[in-house]
Amino acid sequence: NSCLTKLYFSESIRNLGLNMIQIFIPVYLMTSGYSFREVVVFYIISSVFHVALAIPAGFLGAKIGFKYLIFLSVPFFIIFFIFLAPYFLY
């Protein structure tokens, strides 16, 4: 029970941090030269990917455990932020 409480607490802090960052992603994209329409298309595409991958992620979480699935999601967030700022690649 204690482990589950720690998992929920950790996930809550992680989601709070990510949501605080994601508030500024549209502002960043707009100041980087993207139009409002392109930002909306970006969010539509990311929402479609989120919905499409939610069910397989649920099955994978049930199979290997949600702690490990959360751990495996970290590299994808790092890759997302690296591709969001392409000047880091040079």
Side-chain angles (χ1 to χ4, degrees):
N1 192 4
S2 174
C3 184
L4 189 59
T5 304
K6 291 177 186 176
L7 178 67
Y8 284 141
F9 186 68
S10 172
E11 189 64 17
S12 297
I13 291 173
R14 179 175 172 257
N15 282 331
L16 176 67
L18 288 173
N19 287 331
M20 289 175 75
I21 291 171
Q22 289 179 348
I23 289 172
F24 296 103
I25 290 177
V27 175
Y28 172 74
L29 290 174
M30 298 279 286
T31 58
S32 294
Y34 292 100
S35 67
F36 179 75
R37 182 179 179 162
E38 291 170 330
V39 173
V40 170
V41 169
F42 168 77
Y43 274 104
I44 289 171
I45 291 171
S46 64
S47 297
V48 167
F49 272 102
H50 180 77
V51 169
L53 295 175
I55 294 174
F59 285 123
L60 186 62
K63 187 172 183 172
I64 66 169
F66 289 102
K67 287 190 290 188
Y68 298 111
L69 194 63
I70 292 168
F71 182 69
L72 288 174
S73 70
V74 172
F76 292 106
F77 279 116
I78 293 170
I79 291 169
F80 170 74
F81 289 122
I82 286 173
F83 282 131
L84 194 61
Y87 57 86
F88 282 127
L89 296 176
Y90 299 111

